[in-house]
Amino acid sequence: MALIKIEEDLCKGCGLCVTVCAREAIAMGEKINNKGFNIVELVDPEECNGCTLCAVMCPDIVISVYK
Amino acid sequence: MALIKIEEDLCKGCGLCVTVCAREAIAMGEKINNKGFNIVELVDPEECNGCTLCAVMCPDIVISVYK
Amino acid sequence: MKQVFGKPKSLTENPFTYCPGCSHGIGHRLVAETLDELGIVENCVAVSTIGCSVRCWRNFDVDVVQGAHGRGMAVATGLKRALPDEVIFTYQGDGDLAAIGMAETMHAAARGEAITVVFINNSLFGATGGQLAPTTLAGQWTSTYPNGRDVDWTGEPIRMAEILASLPSTSYIAREALTSPKRILQAKKAVRKAFDVQINHNGFGLVELLAACPINLKLKPVDAVKWVEDKMIPYYPLGEIKNTKGVG
Amino acid sequence: MKQVFGKPKSLTENPFTYCPGCSHGIGHRLVAETLDELGIVENCVAVSTIGCSVRCWRNFDVDVVQGAHGRGMAVATGLKRALPDEVIFTYQGDGDLAAIGMAETMHAAARGEAITVVFINNSLFGATGGQLAPTTLAGQWTSTYPNGRDVDWTGEPIRMAEILASLPSTSYIAREALTSPKRILQAKKAVRKAFDVQINHNGFGLVELLAACPINLKLKPVDAVKWVEDKMIPYYPLGEIKNTKGVG
Amino acid sequence: MEKTMMKGNEAIGEAALRAGCRYYFGYPITPQNELLEHMANNLPKHDGVFLQSESELAGASMLYGVAATGKRVMTSSSSPGISLMQETISYLASAELPALIVNITRGGPGLGRITPAQSDYFQAVKGGGHGDYNLIVFAPASVQEMMDLTMLAFELGDKYRTPTMILGDGIIGQMMESVTLAEPVEIKQKKPWTVGRRKDRDYRNLVISAPFTNEEMVELNVRLQEKYREIEANEQRVECYRMDDAEFAIVAFGIVSRLSLAAVDSMRNKGYRVGLIRPITLWPFPEKAFASYPQVKGYLTVEMNEGQMVEDVRLAVNGAVPVHFYGRGGGFTPAPKQIEEKVAGIMEGGDLA
Amino acid sequence: MEKTMMKGNEAIGEAALRAGCRYYFGYPITPQNELLEHMANNLPKHDGVFLQSESELAGASMLYGVAATGKRVMTSSSSPGISLMQETISYLASAELPALIVNITRGGPGLGRITPAQSDYFQAVKGGGHGDYNLIVFAPASVQEMMDLTMLAFELGDKYRTPTMILGDGIIGQMMESVTLAEPVEIKQKKPWTVGRRKDRDYRNLVISAPFTNEEMVELNVRLQEKYREIEANEQRVECYRMDDAEFAIVAFGIVSRLSLAAVDSMRNKGYRVGLIRPITLWPFPEKAFASYPQVKGYLTVEMNEGQMVEDVRLAVNGAVPVHFYGRGGGFTPAPKQIEEKVAGIMEGGDLA
Amino acid sequence: MLREYNIAGFGGQGILYLGQVLAYAGLLSGKQTTWIPSYGPEMRGGTANCMVVISDDKVRSPLVYNPNVALIFNKPSLEKFGADIMPNGKALLLSDLIDGELDRDDIEIFKIPAKTIAEEMGSAMSANMVMLGALLTIDPVFDYSQIEAAVKKVTPSHRQHLIEINLNAVKKGIEYAEQMINGGYKEQEG
Amino acid sequence: MLREYNIAGFGGQGILYLGQVLAYAGLLSGKQTTWIPSYGPEMRGGTANCMVVISDDKVRSPLVYNPNVALIFNKPSLEKFGADIMPNGKALLLSDLIDGELDRDDIEIFKIPAKTIAEEMGSAMSANMVMLGALLTIDPVFDYSQIEAAVKKVTPSHRQHLIEINLNAVKKGIEYAEQMINGGYKEQEG
Ligand SMILES: Cc1ncc(C[n+]2csc(CCOP(=O)(O)OP(=O)(O)O)c2C)c(N)n1
Ligand SMILES: Cc1ncc(C[n+]2csc(CCOP(=O)(O)OP(=O)(O)O)c2C)c(N)n1
Ligand code: SF4
Ligand code: SF4
Ligand code: SF4
Ligand code: SF4
Ligand code: SF4
Ligand code: SF4
Ligand SMILES: [Mg+2]
Ligand SMILES: [Mg+2]
């Protein structure tokens, strides 16, 4: 069981996390945060195995991972 | 036949030329020039073969060599 | 559930103010993780230098001294000589470290100052809008050489890590890239060693981190990172360049 | 009888004002001989820098620009960019070139400026009274480290020629010594090549000449020269370090 | 003559090109990067040399090298970068080399911020470097003047063999304004003192800042001072606005003079007899202008700093009437309304004499 | 207290040691190498740090680093080297760091010569660096004062958190004079703002010269100016010699004041009512002193430069009486006899009022 | 004539470009003009605004403290600048992004859903030009041909393909505002 | 008391050291003293001179324009400084190196062959101390014990072995001058 938490206010929508998630658990969504950025979303929680790759890649420490 | 000319006013008496003359044709003399330096002298003109080593070594271009 | 990844304690609450996809954030995190691991947040002074990261004092939860542009290692020298028991590190961009700061960089390294240098090489001046840096690649667009860097005019880019490694008094020098999770984890190890060599061996440690500046590369973040991977790494080979004290 | 050795035409009437046994005079002569050979005294601009040779404009019979301390190569860069058809050379001491001038030196070399650098390394600051230079040998007495250079405190001496040779855009780099007629003749060839590479290949040429400063070594001239031979040469190996254009 | 809009920073660059300047060395710093980039984009088209230097220090020495050849050359920077050039600026003055240095000042001291400021007035006019020397310092108040005074700076620099400076600020550098392009000039000055090919002369040229003897060093200072006196006599430039019947005057330069103009107009509408003296050259300071208005009963110097030019105003007025100051450093811009209030306060407070 | 003889340069070094300064960074330059070498010889004995920096620029930044830790620290140089420090000096002022900078001035501008000069007055007091800031500047006139004012400089630097400067010249630096050694002091100031081990505090310390917002930058300037006003109120130092009944006064600082003293004595013997005002602090300039002598009908400022302090004298006098100038830059030293002639010329020419 | 404008919004909304077009239109109609951005270290986005002055005489202050006309593109800008508009002045609000109200009864307020209009055109980036068009109608200082010439002048060579799109957006803005005004001010306010 | 000295010669003749000994003697006898070298870029030899002032009061100018006493060690120095000596002052000339004359009849002139005397002692370097000794006799401001103390104070630790030699030279100078004065001034001048 794994879970990621996305700190939406911090996301800048750069998309780097998405490119490194081999399991396509996350994706850029439609949502826009209060800074005007199009933010990332956990689209397939089932698929997430908590590998932390997305979090490691994120420049803004948006993602925290729980296992 | 070889000859060296020593521009006495320029000599600073450092003695570098003397150390490189294998034929001991030159030596530090007693003479003091107008700058107060104890200058080099051609002590054995016969021995000088115009090899130019002394002139090459001299930092003050005191010695010119003729052949 | 246990948290397996989160924000390091050695960072303050302030969010990063960098552009989307800017590698500075990763650089900051790796340093902060190292400070956490070493438990040195209370006996560490950071030197912030002039570049996009000039206000990294808002993020690192340590005492910070902000030096003049390029003089980071001279400031660190003063700090370390006055506080030999504290851990001193500088966080510097390539313009700061290798352009205006060349003399201070070379001499601090030549003296073997017991400091740690985190060197963010993004191949350009980020803060001022994408001008040529000593590290800019041949042919690369910059705002001051819009036709690309002509090496006949401005010379070949400088590989600082190798030059610094050639100085006898430096101890640890490595270059890594912030382009993928794997490389980032590798970079983290190098950052750690650059601190270890200071703490355990009184040595000069530097880690160069190849970084993406999407804004000034005029690329999307994902493409900027790919550019670093594809263009920069071939000219700036990764790995440990020098490790005289065998930290590891 | 024919004169087989005399004063080069490219020197003025002014005598050298250096101390007895100072190698600067030999350095001057080698440069002047080269100017004579190349017949360039009327299309050559020298850059005099700050050190004992600051007033070399009194001796070289060419137009001269005196730069600020350490900035010789930046001044030469300006000159060469404005006068690409003239021959530009700097004459610099080790304090000037490697201490305060480190950044300008590194960057002019990194750009591969088409200039010639005559670099007189006498292991100390002559003009100001024998202080530590980046080139001072380990253990060597200086007026600022009277117990000798402690490399743990000030680092190991810097070998500039090798560092500059490692920059991709430099063309010709050599180190010779002014310690014996044989070596001086060898040095002369290197000076010539450092000019040739500029004239024929638009390249950056530098010749480092190990030199004696008897006054500040506190040795008699003969002993000072021997000291250079015995102590400096082992740390600063002689010979051609780089010759990418194959000048010869 | 073509009319267009441009940024102040670009106008300097464009003027330099039109003045025949073909050499630019500089290091990026906000808020003057448009100038650097204008030169980067345009010099190659004129077969000129644009070289981004490794630092302001190196850039200034490159400039020094070109200046020694007599070719027109410039650099530009902002406050911290200009501080780094002070040694070389002193060398330029000493070696009597013309060269243009542009300072688009930012809020200091220290790293400061890129907000507008006029806090480098003292540095520019009193000599931030060592020794007794002066630069001719121009303070443009419009984009048009950014252009025209740049042309003039090159002209006077050559005429007097002296380094010159444009002192602007972030507002004037960043703003766009309608401007009439200057006509390109041909360079007239003969320069027998320059280094380079020695064909038509039988003497060497030496560009040095340390003569051989102590006596010559003193003589150099005498010569420099004579030149400076000549410049003071000939080159004071000033704009006087509604001064003829003014009983009170604002003194302001650069962008602050524009804000002050607005204040003057507004106060004139309300019946206050207020005028404006705007120094265009900061050195030589247009002190003569002050003598022309003996009816003025008091001055208010307004600056975006903590009080610098006000000293030169006081020296010019020499105690004849009170000279007040209003300003603040570090990025503060006085609004016309604030200036108006200050003036009104002084005039109504009867604090005029 | 021990009495000995020392060079002025050494006295500064010795005083620094006695003031608890254990950190020195510097780069050789004549005529101040004795100071560098005094520190090189003595700091190791006190477990202090003597580091010859690769340049003045680097040395100033090393100093900045130590200053951030609150430890007493100094550097020294001469004119061209001081010009190179201007950026960092502005940073020091902005970050409010105490540190001592010594300038043993030489004849400029440019490389110049190592002859004595006072041509860096403007640079020292008006801010050679960018932005609005001040240093407390001391002008010793004897070897004793080289010692005493160095002690004071450290004290006031800590008190006001501000960089300080000793402005000397080659004569005062190179001469030996009998001197009473100062007592070593214990450093009293608490410095809660310094960086280093964070044990007894629950806050971080940041030493920065660019706050986060524009507003804070302006506030920094307000704070600095308030501090400067306080220093102006408290720290003006001056020596007035035979001023009480003087109808004419010489104003001179440093070595020139000694030469002027000789002139005053000689003229008094001849019946001239002449006195001397000697600023000991150049900033804050001791302007208050001038108000104390309303009977003075004219001033002659004598300087080894082309006229710098004379502006501050004119500002202090504000047009009340004429202020004349005598001096020359580049290495000229006015002999007492020359000063006397100048004064006599003015007094006899009736050019007093 | 003297017109002072303040144009404010997010970075990326084309604020500075809009201001430049306006200033150029002034130049082309023989006026004196100034344009000034609020330059700041925020090159990384965030807020953007610029001030434009168009005048028959020499422009005094290029800094606009109390604009005759304000074009406001987001809520933070409304909060920051709304109170400064000159009495009897005009405010054009990008109503798609501004849900708040401007509590002033001494000025005229126009709400333009420029983003929606631009998106309908298939060119979301052209909302700024829609606002410009609306301005042309609401405060008719320039006519369309002057704006057309200015757009052509200001658009950099590598963006020439955008000229047509932009001009279309201007026209849409003109139309919308004409309709709005004809349809009555009250209604729009509701 | 006020005594102003000028001491001048070649570099290497111990000019500066002599001046320092004199100044220290002043210090040790409770006076105010200054010593100042003519510092110059000529660190490579050439000329050397120093000025010493010894005074009961605070010293005004440390620069000596018209010395009471001049110690002249070579001909160039004689030419440079000879005319400046205060009327009624004294000049001590190192006669071995000065063949010229000083054309002043308003001062007292003493010719000391100090080099010869020093060489006779086997210590050619001590001519300066011979001159000092002569000064002690000719212008007896200090007594020998004060000079002895000053020499000990001024000599650096690595040169302690020279103290005795130097003091002997001082004594020789005293003797020579005493003899000279007793033998009559005229004779020495001839
Ligand atoms: C003396 C001085 N010169 C120039 C600047 C302007 N400046 C600020 S940051 C910078 C370059 C930053 O580039 P880099 O160090 O590579 O950092 P990055 O922003 O790319 O991370 C420059 C030139 C300055 N602040 N001070
Ligand atoms: C900015 C500046 N700093 C310091 C000096 C003083 N200075 C003159 S020459 C010199 C060093 C000379 O050493 P080097 O270059 O090795 O030349 P050398 O005399 O040994 O030939 C120094 C520090 C100066 N003139 N300018
Ligand atoms: S933790 Fe791994 S699997 Fe889960 S979202 Fe991130 S990258 Fe994908
Ligand atoms: S990497 Fe971080 S900032 Fe970028 S999109 Fe993913 S979560 Fe957002
Ligand atoms: S030329 Fe040769 S042989 Fe003759 S003196 Fe010189 S070194 Fe000796
Ligand atoms: S090397 Fe030259 S200067 Fe030295 S002693 Fe010989 S001739 Fe004289
Ligand atoms: S400009 Fe570049 S380096 Fe600076 S914050 Fe943006 S992406 Fe990062
Ligand atoms: S000090 Fe040294 S380098 Fe300078 S002239 Fe004398 S011997 Fe030569
Ligand atoms: Mg960078
Ligand atoms: Mg050297």
Side-chain angles (χ1 to χ4, degrees), chain F residues 273-285:
Chain F
R273 295 233 305 274
V274 179
L276 170 76
I277 295 185
R278 171 172 80 92
I280 296 171
T281 49
L282 300 182
W283 193 90
F285 188 74

mmCIF file with all atom_site columns, all heavy atoms in Angstrom, chain F residues 273-285:
data_model
loop_
_atom_site.group_PDB
_atom_site.id
_atom_site.type_symbol
_atom_site.label_atom_id
_atom_site.label_alt_id
_atom_site.label_comp_id
_atom_site.label_asym_id
_atom_site.label_entity_id
_atom_site.label_seq_id
_atom_site.pdbx_PDB_ins_code
_atom_site.Cartn_x
_atom_site.Cartn_y
_atom_site.Cartn_z
_atom_site.occupancy
_atom_site.B_iso_or_equiv
_atom_site.pdbx_formal_charge
_atom_site.auth_seq_id
_atom_site.auth_comp_id
_atom_site.auth_asym_id
_atom_site.auth_atom_id
_atom_site.pdbx_PDB_model_num
ATOM 1   N N   . ARG F 1 273 ? 47.247 86.554 14.293 1.00 0.00 ? 273 ARG F N   1
ATOM 2   C CA  . ARG F 1 273 ? 46.290 85.815 15.130 1.00 0.00 ? 273 ARG F CA  1
ATOM 3   C C   . ARG F 1 273 ? 45.711 84.661 14.307 1.00 0.00 ? 273 ARG F C   1
ATOM 4   O O   . ARG F 1 273 ? 44.611 84.724 13.775 1.00 0.00 ? 273 ARG F O   1
ATOM 5   C CB  . ARG F 1 273 ? 45.192 86.739 15.639 1.00 0.00 ? 273 ARG F CB  1
ATOM 6   C CG  . ARG F 1 273 ? 45.746 87.829 16.589 1.00 0.00 ? 273 ARG F CG  1
ATOM 7   C CD  . ARG F 1 273 ? 45.018 87.893 17.920 1.00 0.00 ? 273 ARG F CD  1
ATOM 8   N NE  . ARG F 1 273 ? 43.588 88.078 17.729 1.00 0.00 ? 273 ARG F NE  1
ATOM 9   C CZ  . ARG F 1 273 ? 42.996 89.271 17.585 1.00 0.00 ? 273 ARG F CZ  1
ATOM 10  N NH1 . ARG F 1 273 ? 43.710 90.368 17.618 1.00 0.00 ? 273 ARG F NH1 1
ATOM 11  N NH2 . ARG F 1 273 ? 41.705 89.347 17.416 1.00 0.00 ? 273 ARG F NH2 1
ATOM 12  N N   . VAL F 1 274 ? 46.476 83.596 14.246 1.00 0.00 ? 274 VAL F N   1
ATOM 13  C CA  . VAL F 1 274 ? 46.117 82.448 13.418 1.00 0.00 ? 274 VAL F CA  1
ATOM 14  C C   . VAL F 1 274 ? 45.904 81.222 14.294 1.00 0.00 ? 274 VAL F C   1
ATOM 15  O O   . VAL F 1 274 ? 46.613 81.041 15.286 1.00 0.00 ? 274 VAL F O   1
ATOM 16  C CB  . VAL F 1 274 ? 47.234 82.144 12.401 1.00 0.00 ? 274 VAL F CB  1
ATOM 17  C CG1 . VAL F 1 274 ? 46.879 80.939 11.549 1.00 0.00 ? 274 VAL F CG1 1
ATOM 18  C CG2 . VAL F 1 274 ? 47.506 83.341 11.521 1.00 0.00 ? 274 VAL F CG2 1
ATOM 19  N N   . GLY F 1 275 ? 44.948 80.408 13.936 1.00 0.00 ? 275 GLY F N   1
ATOM 20  C CA  . GLY F 1 275 ? 44.723 79.142 14.649 1.00 0.00 ? 275 GLY F CA  1
ATOM 21  C C   . GLY F 1 275 ? 44.562 78.000 13.668 1.00 0.00 ? 275 GLY F C   1
ATOM 22  O O   . GLY F 1 275 ? 44.684 78.184 12.443 1.00 0.00 ? 275 GLY F O   1
ATOM 23  N N   . LEU F 1 276 ? 44.328 76.833 14.241 1.00 0.00 ? 276 LEU F N   1
ATOM 24  C CA  . LEU F 1 276 ? 44.198 75.640 13.396 1.00 0.00 ? 276 LEU F CA  1
ATOM 25  C C   . LEU F 1 276 ? 42.998 74.817 13.846 1.00 0.00 ? 276 LEU F C   1
ATOM 26  O O   . LEU F 1 276 ? 42.839 74.539 15.035 1.00 0.00 ? 276 LEU F O   1
ATOM 27  C CB  . LEU F 1 276 ? 45.458 74.781 13.494 1.00 0.00 ? 276 LEU F CB  1
ATOM 28  C CG  . LEU F 1 276 ? 45.377 73.388 12.849 1.00 0.00 ? 276 LEU F CG  1
ATOM 29  C CD1 . LEU F 1 276 ? 45.468 73.502 11.333 1.00 0.00 ? 276 LEU F CD1 1
ATOM 30  C CD2 . LEU F 1 276 ? 46.496 72.488 13.367 1.00 0.00 ? 276 LEU F CD2 1
ATOM 31  N N   . ILE F 1 277 ? 42.177 74.432 12.902 1.00 0.00 ? 277 ILE F N   1
ATOM 32  C CA  . ILE F 1 277 ? 41.132 73.445 13.196 1.00 0.00 ? 277 ILE F CA  1
ATOM 33  C C   . ILE F 1 277 ? 41.531 72.157 12.506 1.00 0.00 ? 277 ILE F C   1
ATOM 34  O O   . ILE F 1 277 ? 41.741 72.127 11.293 1.00 0.00 ? 277 ILE F O   1
ATOM 35  C CB  . ILE F 1 277 ? 39.743 73.925 12.708 1.00 0.00 ? 277 ILE F CB  1
ATOM 36  C CG1 . ILE F 1 277 ? 39.343 75.171 13.495 1.00 0.00 ? 277 ILE F CG1 1
ATOM 37  C CG2 . ILE F 1 277 ? 38.711 72.801 12.864 1.00 0.00 ? 277 ILE F CG2 1
ATOM 38  C CD1 . ILE F 1 277 ? 37.929 75.659 13.185 1.00 0.00 ? 277 ILE F CD1 1
ATOM 39  N N   . ARG F 1 278 ? 41.669 71.121 13.304 1.00 0.00 ? 278 ARG F N   1
ATOM 40  C CA  . ARG F 1 278 ? 42.103 69.841 12.748 1.00 0.00 ? 278 ARG F CA  1
ATOM 41  C C   . ARG F 1 278 ? 41.014 68.804 12.926 1.00 0.00 ? 278 ARG F C   1
ATOM 42  O O   . ARG F 1 278 ? 40.801 68.289 14.037 1.00 0.00 ? 278 ARG F O   1
ATOM 43  C CB  . ARG F 1 278 ? 43.364 69.354 13.450 1.00 0.00 ? 278 ARG F CB  1
ATOM 44  C CG  . ARG F 1 278 ? 43.740 67.927 13.055 1.00 0.00 ? 278 ARG F CG  1
ATOM 45  C CD  . ARG F 1 278 ? 45.081 67.528 13.591 1.00 0.00 ? 278 ARG F CD  1
ATOM 46  N NE  . ARG F 1 278 ? 45.051 67.142 14.982 1.00 0.00 ? 278 ARG F NE  1
ATOM 47  C CZ  . ARG F 1 278 ? 44.876 65.892 15.423 1.00 0.00 ? 278 ARG F CZ  1
ATOM 48  N NH1 . ARG F 1 278 ? 44.689 64.912 14.562 1.00 0.00 ? 278 ARG F NH1 1
ATOM 49  N NH2 . ARG F 1 278 ? 44.881 65.628 16.709 1.00 0.00 ? 278 ARG F NH2 1
ATOM 50  N N   . PRO F 1 279 ? 40.304 68.448 11.860 1.00 0.00 ? 279 PRO F N   1
ATOM 51  C CA  . PRO F 1 279 ? 39.335 67.359 11.973 1.00 0.00 ? 279 PRO F CA  1
ATOM 52  C C   . PRO F 1 279 ? 40.060 66.045 12.273 1.00 0.00 ? 279 PRO F C   1
ATOM 53  O O   . PRO F 1 279 ? 41.018 65.691 11.586 1.00 0.00 ? 279 PRO F O   1
ATOM 54  C CB  . PRO F 1 279 ? 38.674 67.336 10.584 1.00 0.00 ? 279 PRO F CB  1
ATOM 55  C CG  . PRO F 1 279 ? 38.886 68.717 10.042 1.00 0.00 ? 279 PRO F CG  1
ATOM 56  C CD  . PRO F 1 279 ? 40.231 69.121 10.577 1.00 0.00 ? 279 PRO F CD  1
ATOM 57  N N   . ILE F 1 280 ? 39.612 65.387 13.297 1.00 0.00 ? 280 ILE F N   1
ATOM 58  C CA  . ILE F 1 280 ? 40.161 64.062 13.634 1.00 0.00 ? 280 ILE F CA  1
ATOM 59  C C   . ILE F 1 280 ? 39.254 62.996 13.025 1.00 0.00 ? 280 ILE F C   1
ATOM 60  O O   . ILE F 1 280 ? 39.729 62.008 12.498 1.00 0.00 ? 280 ILE F O   1
ATOM 61  C CB  . ILE F 1 280 ? 40.269 63.909 15.168 1.00 0.00 ? 280 ILE F CB  1
ATOM 62  C CG1 . ILE F 1 280 ? 41.275 64.931 15.703 1.00 0.00 ? 280 ILE F CG1 1
ATOM 63  C CG2 . ILE F 1 280 ? 40.660 62.481 15.538 1.00 0.00 ? 280 ILE F CG2 1
ATOM 64  C CD1 . ILE F 1 280 ? 41.321 65.022 17.217 1.00 0.00 ? 280 ILE F CD1 1
ATOM 65  N N   . THR F 1 281 ? 37.962 63.246 13.106 1.00 0.00 ? 281 THR F N   1
ATOM 66  C CA  . THR F 1 281 ? 37.042 62.427 12.304 1.00 0.00 ? 281 THR F CA  1
ATOM 67  C C   . THR F 1 281 ? 36.749 63.207 11.039 1.00 0.00 ? 281 THR F C   1
ATOM 68  O O   . THR F 1 281 ? 36.395 64.389 11.093 1.00 0.00 ? 281 THR F O   1
ATOM 69  C CB  . THR F 1 281 ? 35.710 62.161 13.039 1.00 0.00 ? 281 THR F CB  1
ATOM 70  O OG1 . THR F 1 281 ? 35.200 63.390 13.531 1.00 0.00 ? 281 THR F OG1 1
ATOM 71  C CG2 . THR F 1 281 ? 35.897 61.182 14.189 1.00 0.00 ? 281 THR F CG2 1
ATOM 72  N N   . LEU F 1 282 ? 36.924 62.542 9.909  1.00 0.00 ? 282 LEU F N   1
ATOM 73  C CA  . LEU F 1 282 ? 36.599 63.212 8.635  1.00 0.00 ? 282 LEU F CA  1
ATOM 74  C C   . LEU F 1 282 ? 35.129 62.980 8.320  1.00 0.00 ? 282 LEU F C   1
ATOM 75  O O   . LEU F 1 282 ? 34.471 63.812 7.722  1.00 0.00 ? 282 LEU F O   1
ATOM 76  C CB  . LEU F 1 282 ? 37.508 62.682 7.533  1.00 0.00 ? 282 LEU F CB  1
ATOM 77  C CG  . LEU F 1 282 ? 39.011 62.896 7.774  1.00 0.00 ? 282 LEU F CG  1
ATOM 78  C CD1 . LEU F 1 282 ? 39.806 62.379 6.585  1.00 0.00 ? 282 LEU F CD1 1
ATOM 79  C CD2 . LEU F 1 282 ? 39.314 64.363 8.034  1.00 0.00 ? 282 LEU F CD2 1
ATOM 80  N N   . TRP F 1 283 ? 34.646 61.811 8.700  1.00 0.00 ? 283 TRP F N   1
ATOM 81  C CA  . TRP F 1 283 ? 33.209 61.612 8.764  1.00 0.00 ? 283 TRP F CA  1
ATOM 82  C C   . TRP F 1 283 ? 32.929 60.931 10.076 1.00 0.00 ? 283 TRP F C   1
ATOM 83  O O   . TRP F 1 283 ? 33.522 59.900 10.333 1.00 0.00 ? 283 TRP F O   1
ATOM 84  C CB  . TRP F 1 283 ? 32.649 60.756 7.620  1.00 0.00 ? 283 TRP F CB  1
ATOM 85  C CG  . TRP F 1 283 ? 31.151 60.890 7.624  1.00 0.00 ? 283 TRP F CG  1
ATOM 86  C CD1 . TRP F 1 283 ? 30.414 61.812 6.954  1.00 0.00 ? 283 TRP F CD1 1
ATOM 87  C CD2 . TRP F 1 283 ? 30.232 60.144 8.432  1.00 0.00 ? 283 TRP F CD2 1
ATOM 88  N NE1 . TRP F 1 283 ? 29.094 61.699 7.293  1.00 0.00 ? 283 TRP F NE1 1
ATOM 89  C CE2 . TRP F 1 283 ? 28.942 60.689 8.195  1.00 0.00 ? 283 TRP F CE2 1
ATOM 90  C CE3 . TRP F 1 283 ? 30.347 59.101 9.359  1.00 0.00 ? 283 TRP F CE3 1
ATOM 91  C CZ2 . TRP F 1 283 ? 27.796 60.208 8.832  1.00 0.00 ? 283 TRP F CZ2 1
ATOM 92  C CZ3 . TRP F 1 283 ? 29.210 58.615 9.994  1.00 0.00 ? 283 TRP F CZ3 1
ATOM 93  C CH2 . TRP F 1 283 ? 27.943 59.171 9.722  1.00 0.00 ? 283 TRP F CH2 1
ATOM 94  N N   . PRO F 1 284 ? 32.076 61.446 10.928 1.00 0.00 ? 284 PRO F N   1
ATOM 95  C CA  . PRO F 1 284 ? 31.342 62.691 10.730 1.00 0.00 ? 284 PRO F CA  1
ATOM 96  C C   . PRO F 1 284 ? 32.292 63.885 10.735 1.00 0.00 ? 284 PRO F C   1
ATOM 97  O O   . PRO F 1 284 ? 33.174 63.953 11.603 1.00 0.00 ? 284 PRO F O   1
ATOM 98  C CB  . PRO F 1 284 ? 30.392 62.730 11.920 1.00 0.00 ? 284 PRO F CB  1
ATOM 99  C CG  . PRO F 1 284 ? 31.055 61.890 12.971 1.00 0.00 ? 284 PRO F CG  1
ATOM 100 C CD  . PRO F 1 284 ? 31.773 60.813 12.236 1.00 0.00 ? 284 PRO F CD  1
ATOM 101 N N   . PHE F 1 285 ? 32.081 64.790 9.815  1.00 0.00 ? 285 PHE F N   1
ATOM 102 C CA  . PHE F 1 285 ? 32.917 65.980 9.745  1.00 0.00 ? 285 PHE F CA  1
ATOM 103 C C   . PHE F 1 285 ? 32.583 66.881 10.928 1.00 0.00 ? 285 PHE F C   1
ATOM 104 O O   . PHE F 1 285 ? 31.406 67.102 11.220 1.00 0.00 ? 285 PHE F O   1
ATOM 105 C CB  . PHE F 1 285 ? 32.676 66.716 8.424  1.00 0.00 ? 285 PHE F CB  1
ATOM 106 C CG  . PHE F 1 285 ? 33.646 67.853 8.217  1.00 0.00 ? 285 PHE F CG  1
ATOM 107 C CD1 . PHE F 1 285 ? 34.964 67.586 7.867  1.00 0.00 ? 285 PHE F CD1 1
ATOM 108 C CD2 . PHE F 1 285 ? 33.251 69.170 8.382  1.00 0.00 ? 285 PHE F CD2 1
ATOM 109 C CE1 . PHE F 1 285 ? 35.872 68.628 7.689  1.00 0.00 ? 285 PHE F CE1 1
ATOM 110 C CE2 . PHE F 1 285 ? 34.160 70.212 8.207  1.00 0.00 ? 285 PHE F CE2 1
ATOM 111 C CZ  . PHE F 1 285 ? 35.465 69.942 7.864  1.00 0.00 ? 285 PHE F CZ  1
#
